[in-house]
Amino acid sequence: MGWSFKVHGGIALAMSFLFLGSAAIAWVPWVSVSTHMTWMLAVAFLLPVGLAALARVLLSRADKKTLWLAFRCLPGRLRVVLGVLALAGVLLTVVGASQENSLQTDGVEDGRYYVYDTTPFQRGRAEVSSSAYADVLRREQRGLLPVFGAAAAVVAYMVFTAGEVRQADARSKQTHVARTRGRPAPGGPSEQMPK
């Protein structure tokens, strides 16, 4: 696998660890939410990496079966890491989504914290304390960041399998060239010799 595939897949893996780690930290009640990783920030980083991975898979022109076979050719530890990250992302997403929360963060203005209430018949913006705002932000992170963690693991899977397909194609071409060079060319000296 080429170095660009390794770097690209490594970036996607690091993003998956970052998102899932941030989501796990959001479950710890005594840890303050210092990094405001919103969905816009996550998409800003994940979108270009994911689109590049999709382009690499499309350029490899491999079908689903070939991609699965290429995934099985990856080192065992890497396959385990990719599987664990994807599974952890799905599980954390399900657990985070199971929390009922009708409040969404709406921003901080002049030192005042605002949330938006989506409860039927009570919709509207309300000012809350900083601790209540941090609690709402933590709940948002619990539900949203695991989705991006799982998506980043899928992106890493796409990159590494596309790299494996590309490497297999390169090996196939080298083998084909070696075989054709070993055979005499049609009309060559071996065919011109009298029998």
Side-chain angles (χ1 to χ4, degrees), residues 6-112:
K6 291 178 182 177
V7 170
H8 189 178
I11 290 171
L13 274 180
M15 289 172 64
S16 182
F17 276 115
L18 175 68
F19 293 137
L20 292 175
S22 298
I25 288 172
W27 283 96
V28 180
W30 60 85
V31 176
S32 64
V33 182
S34 58
T35 59
H36 299 284
M37 289 191 67
T38 62
W39 65 272
M40 290 177 66
L41 179 64
V43 169
F45 286 108
L46 188 58
L47 190 62
V49 174
L51 289 176
L54 183 62
R56 286 188 139 168
V57 169
L58 292 175
L59 289 173
S60 71
R61 296 180 184 163
D63 59 354
K64 292 177 185 177
K65 183 178 178 182
T66 306
L67 290 175
W68 176 247
L69 292 173
F71 174 72
R72 292 183 61 194
C73 292
L74 292 174
R77 289 181 184 168
L78 180 59
R79 287 184 290 165
V80 169
V81 167
L82 289 170
V84 166
L85 288 175
L87 184 62
V90 170
L91 289 176
L92 285 173
T93 300
V94 169
V95 172
S98 67
Q99 298 180 328
E100 289 192 23
N101 188 19
S102 60
L103 299 177
Q104 300 173 352
T105 55
D106 197 32
V108 181
E109 297 173 4
D110 299 326
R112 295 181 176 183

Side-chain angles (χ1 to χ4, degrees), residues 139-170:
R139 285 181 187 224
E140 283 182 356
Q141 289 181 337
R142 288 177 194 162
L144 197 56
L145 290 177
V147 174
F148 296 120
V154 170
V155 167
Y157 157 78
M158 289 170 37
V159 172
F160 287 131
T161 53
E164 199 64 32
V165 167
R166 178 118 183 226
Q167 184 178 8
D169 285 346

Side-chain angles (χ1 to χ4, degrees), residues 104-123:
Q104 300 173 352
T105 55
D106 197 32
V108 181
E109 297 173 4
D110 299 326
R112 295 181 176 183
Y113 298 88
Y114 294 96
V115 295
Y116 186 80
D117 192 353
T118 59
T119 306
F121 307 111
Q122 296 180 358
R123 292 181 186 270

